[in-house]
Amino acid sequence: MKIAIVCYPTFGGSGVVATELGLELAHRGHEIHFITYSQPVRLALLNPRVFYHEVNVPEYPLFHYQPYELALSSKLVDMVKLYKIELLHVHYAIPHAYAGYMAKQMLKDEGIHIPMVTTLHGTDITLVGNHPHYKPAVSFSINKSDIVTSVSQSLKDETYKLFNITKEIEVIPNFIELKNAKIKEGEPCYRSLMAHDSEMIITHISNFRKVKRIPDIIKIFHLIQQQIPAKLMMVGDGPEKEKAESLCEELGIANKVIFFGNSHEIDKILCFSDLFLLPSETESFGLAALEAMACSVPVISSNTGGLPEVNSEGFSGYLSNVGDIESMAKNAIKILANPATLATFKKNALEVAEQFDLAKILPLYEAVYQKALANNLIEETE
């Protein structure tokens, strides 16, 4: 198949999922065209079946905000015609499904019928999409998609709750490529660079937005380190980072917390981690938690959104109510205090992660693509 993938090219979960999916599809013989405004951060172009097409948005004094959807839909039309692309897979309802629908209509006028699969990731539904100014466009974009998928049952339920959706939504969970997540046997894990042998290493990875409840992470760690010698690795960047650094100073734990910023070495950081913290206000899935579990790192998280579908209570980690810092700290100590308990949770975390291996999830997407193409063929012949 010749597939166009439209996604955000950033460090966020949807961009990572879309990129990893496209690369694996290429390895399986499909021709993949990434179409977005800059090269996705995890995109390796050393594959003859992987292409990247940049969307350029011309600047005109007439526009206060440059019309990205217009530029994207036009680019999609051009690339479909030039490369004979057979299917669009857009990640996020707006602006991508909205632009994809416009491209479909323009192509239809030229006698080209192309199906569109839309994958919902979370903030396009729960945050941006639910805004009154965008709600009609989101509903329209979803209902006009040929097939719609969501990354969790929780997100599917939330979509039906918030919008007037007439399309069936299929749940295809996010995934991890386990063969890339594990540190290769014999490869050194430089734990000693981060902490003493007597210290536990606790990690958080995110875009440091308010929804991640970054102050909670600092406060949870503050309680943990009062009973167990530990270091905290804070990986990522965003608007809450400066406040987090100030809070560490206030609590007197700045020397126990390392802020990395954005990193391309997540696997190496998780390699020497003992516990992962994700106390988010909401998570449509919890990809960061899954990445940790794939590296045998148990997770302490909130019980919101799709997290209970990823983090198995009392097995791969523990779930607590949003904002319950004391409960999260208590559960963390329960795991870390006993080496045998920690070893069991580490083994269990990997066992759960294996259920989300890309090798198991990718065929679900291929089946959706085949279904979309078959339905499109029927519509063309009617």
Side-chain angles (χ1 to χ4, degrees):
M1 280 180 273
K2 294 185 177 183
I3 305 165
I5 291 181
V6 183
C7 64
Y8 284 117
T10 57
F11 277 91
S14 68
V16 170
V17 166
T19 304
E20 296 293 346
L21 175 63
L23 292 176
E24 188 60 23
L25 286 165
H27 289 148
R28 291 172 71 108
H30 303 288
E31 185 177 298
I32 305 300
H33 296 260
F34 288 93
I35 302 176
T36 184
Y37 57 82
S38 67
Q39 183 173 323
V41 292
R42 293 198 187 182
L43 179 58
L45 292 173
L46 297 177
N47 187 313
R49 289 186 291 272
V50 175
F51 301 85
Y52 162 61
H53 311 291
E54 184 175 356
V55 179
N56 294 303
V57 185
E59 292 190 12
Y60 293 108
L62 175 65
F63 298 117
H64 185 66
Y65 298 104
Q66 304 310 316
Y68 178 64
E69 293 90 339
L70 180 61
L72 175 58
S73 59
S74 296
K75 187 72 173 184
L76 285 170
V77 168
D78 291 341
M79 294 303 98
V80 167
K81 291 161 64 176
L82 181 61
Y83 291 97
K84 310 299 183 191
I85 290 170
E86 302 168 81
L87 180 139
L88 307 179
H89 186 178
V90 301
H91 295 258
Y92 266 58
I94 52 170
H96 299 151
Y98 194 79
Y101 173 75
M102 293 307 299
K104 276 170 57 75
Q105 294 305 109
M106 285 187 275
L107 288 163
K108 191 175 180 181
D109 282 351
E110 298 187 38
I112 300 172
H113 298 263
I114 184 167
M116 180 173 70
V117 175
T118 296
T119 293
L120 310 176
H121 284 271
T123 51
D124 52 340
I125 298 302
T126 58
L127 187 62
V128 179
N130 197 37
H131 192 285
H133 292 169
Y134 299 120
K135 206 164 185 176
V138 173
S139 296
F140 177 86
S141 300
I142 294 173
N143 286 328
K144 290 297 182 179
S145 300
D146 294 279
I147 293 181
V148 183
T149 73
S150 72
V151 298
S152 68
Q153 181 64 42
S154 170
L155 180 59
K156 174 181 176 178
D157 295 341
E158 193 74 2
T159 303
Y160 282 129
K161 177 182 174 183
L162 294 174
F163 301 93
N164 181 24
I165 301 302
T166 58
K167 297 288 293 188
E168 174 61 29
I169 300 175
E170 301 184 31
V171 176
I172 301 181
N174 280 339
F175 51 80
I176 189 75
E177 196 164 8
L178 280 175
K179 69 176 185 283
N180 292 339
K182 298 175 184 176
I183 296 295
K184 294 179 177 62
E185 190 173 345
E187 188 174 329
C189 183
Y190 298 105
R191 181 188 175 94
S192 59
L193 295 175
M194 298 295 112
H196 298 299
D197 291 342
S198 60
E199 293 177 313
M200 293 293 174
I201 295 181
I202 299 166
T203 302
H204 171 77
I205 302 169
S206 78
N207 52 19
F208 284 56
R209 292 184 292 120
K210 278 191 175 182
V211 70
K212 303 298 180 181
R213 298 186 69 92
I214 301 299
D216 285 10
I217 296 162
I218 305 301
K219 292 172 185 176
I220 292 165
F221 174 73
H222 182 237
L223 293 174
I224 294 170
Q225 58 86 42
Q226 289 175 9
Q227 297 193 38
I228 296 177
K231 286 283 184 68
L232 175 61
M233 311 288 124
M234 297 289 284
V235 185
D237 203 354
E240 294 290 294
K241 183 181 177 183
E242 189 175 335
K243 295 178 187 175
E245 291 172 327
S246 298
L247 182 56
C248 290
E249 294 283 353
E250 290 174 25
L251 296 174
I253 57 172
N255 63 327
K256 297 181 179 181
V257 182
I258 300 175
F259 288 87
F260 285 88
N262 289 324
S263 174
H264 291 281
E265 298 185 309
I266 300 298
D267 55 343
K268 293 182 180 178
I269 294 169
L270 290 172
C271 158
F272 46 68
S273 298
D274 297 298
L275 194 71
F276 190 82
L277 298 181
L278 194 64
S280 307
E281 188 79 29
T282 184
E283 290 281 349
S284 60
F285 179 82
L287 185 60
L290 178 58
E291 289 183 330
M293 290 158 60
C295 294
S296 300
V297 182
V299 174
I300 297 295
S301 72
S302 51
N303 57 8
T304 184
L307 281 169
E309 299 174 46
V310 181
N311 186 17
S312 179
E313 169 69 16
F315 187 75
S316 62
Y318 286 102
L319 300 151
S320 300
N321 292 332
V322 174
D324 194 342
I325 294 166
E326 289 75 17
S327 170
M328 293 184 190
K330 181 180 176 182
N331 287 332
I333 292 166
K334 191 187 302 183
I335 292 174
L336 297 172
N338 185 290
T341 302
L342 176 58
T344 298
F345 272 87
K346 280 177 169 285
K347 177 179 70 70
N348 294 347
L350 178 57
E351 184 179 322
V352 173
E354 287 171 345
Q355 300 171 22
F356 298 92
D357 188 14
L358 177 55
K360 296 180 179 179
I361 305 301
L362 187 135
L364 302 179
Y365 275 113
E366 287 184 307
V368 161
Y369 296 158
Q370 294 290 358
K371 180 180 175 182
L373 288 169
N375 290 345
N376 188 61
L377 187 61
I378 292 169
E379 290 177 7
E380 281 189 76
T381 56
E382 286 179 348

